Amino acid sequence: MNILNSTINSNLKGKYKMIKILTSGFPNGFTEDFNDVLKQYIKVGTNFVFVASEFESIHDKTDWYCNNFLKMFSNCGITFGSVNVIDSRIPKEIAQDIVRNADVLWLAGGDTPTQFAYIESYGLIPYIKEQKGVIIGMSAGSINMAKTAVCTLTCEHSKLEIYEALGLVEFSVEPHFDKENISDELIILSEKYPLYGVCDDSAIIRTNDNTLFIGNVFLINNRHITRLS
């Protein structure tokens, strides 16, 4: 833990335009290492915005997930002054203003292309790109943070889809990566699309030109697999 804190304190100080955090999932709550990262950037009492993966028909499920993650933040000592959920219950113009002014913007997991279609239809893309706070993508949200979203069958998408996404980071990610069961699909795709395989309980933190890996993160590039963390 001391090594991690020393690395964060020496490399990640200063003022950044945007803190980008790409995660896979935390089935048992945030890890201690991830808590340390969050507390470097998120102040108590700031505003939290949760962007759903499906805007129309799963409001109860969206609220449950939002509250679940708020509990994880609370468990590591972070509570927010205000919380907003972005889905069809919020008019588009108000949603745009909320996203623009978010201190912490969470892009939820779910169906990846569906989430991006809603983000696009609500006109949120320019406001997300202008964000100067902390953006955290989980699973589908992390895929959509990439310049090129690669939605694989391995990651349980109904079909392989590749499209231009938000472009917050220049690399593509494969969440829920299983280092013990690497599919032929990922190996073949890596010839054209290098992928960061992010295991559960792991994350990539991007600040300006610095990249920090916590947990188990692997680079799958041109059929080669390299552990980065």
Side-chain angles (χ1 to χ4, degrees):
M1 290 302 303
N2 291 334
I3 294 174
L4 174 64
N5 287 332
S6 176
T7 301
I8 292 172
N9 289 333
S10 62
N11 292 334
L12 304 182
K13 285 182 178 180
K15 187 174 181 181
Y16 299 93
K17 290 185 177 180
M18 183 192 298
I19 309 297
K20 293 156 280 192
I21 302 176
L22 298 88
T23 74
S24 179
F26 296 94
N28 299 307
F30 296 152
T31 65
E32 192 173 352
D33 286 353
F34 192 65
N35 287 342
D36 288 343
V37 170
L38 295 176
K39 287 185 283 189
Q40 293 291 320
Y41 301 118
I42 300 175
K43 295 181 180 180
V44 171
T46 53
N47 65 78
F48 178 83
V49 177
F50 187 88
V51 179
S53 58
E54 208 287 336
F55 281 24
E56 301 289 341
S57 60
I58 57 169
H59 296 157
D60 289 345
K61 187 175 182 180
T62 295
D63 290 344
W64 185 91
Y65 274 106
C66 180
N67 289 328
N68 186 55
F69 293 121
L70 289 173
K71 289 178 184 176
M72 293 185 190
F73 277 107
S74 179
N75 288 340
C76 78
I78 298 173
T79 55
F80 295 99
S82 65
V83 175
N84 289 282
V85 174
I86 302 299
D87 60 18
S88 64
R89 291 170 289 183
I90 301 291
K92 293 181 180 181
E93 293 77 11
I94 295 177
Q96 293 167 4
D97 192 56
I98 290 172
V99 167
R100 179 195 296 114
N101 293 298
D103 294 312
V104 180
L105 185 67
W106 185 285
L107 303 180
D111 185 77
T112 311
T114 297
Q115 180 185 58
F116 188 78
Y118 278 115
I119 288 173
E120 190 171 38
S121 68
Y122 265 59
L124 300 179
I125 293 177
Y127 302 104
I128 292 174
K129 288 186 173 183
E130 293 170 6
Q131 248 287 322
K132 291 181 173 58
V134 177
I135 295 185
I136 304 172
M138 175 172 281
S139 193
S142 65
I143 295 173
N144 279 325
M145 288 175 68
K147 180 179 180 180
T148 302
V150 181
C151 306
T152 67
L153 296 173
T154 306
C155 201
E156 299 186 352
H157 293 92
S158 60
K159 61 181 179 179
L160 174 63
E161 291 190 60
I162 300 172
Y163 55 86
E164 183 179 346
L166 291 170
L168 302 181
V169 294
E170 67 278 9
F171 51 83
S172 302
V173 297
E174 172 76 6
H176 311 295
F177 182 68
D178 183 357
K179 62 182 182 297
E180 305 298 333
N181 187 24
I182 301 170
S183 69
D184 291 339
E185 178 192 37
L186 295 181
I187 297 298
I188 294 169
L189 281 170
S190 74
E191 295 178 353
K192 186 174 182 180
Y193 303 100
L195 296 164
Y196 283 83
V198 184
C199 301
D200 284 349
D201 293 325
S202 306
I204 303 171
I205 298 92
R206 181 73 173 170
T207 60
N208 290 358
D209 295 326
N210 294 319
T211 303
L212 181 71
F213 306 100
I214 61 173
N216 292 310
V217 181
F218 296 80
L219 175 62
I220 315 157
N221 184 23
N222 200 23
R223 293 182 170 265
H224 294 285
I225 300 169
T226 307
R227 183 176 179 179
L228 300 172
S229 57

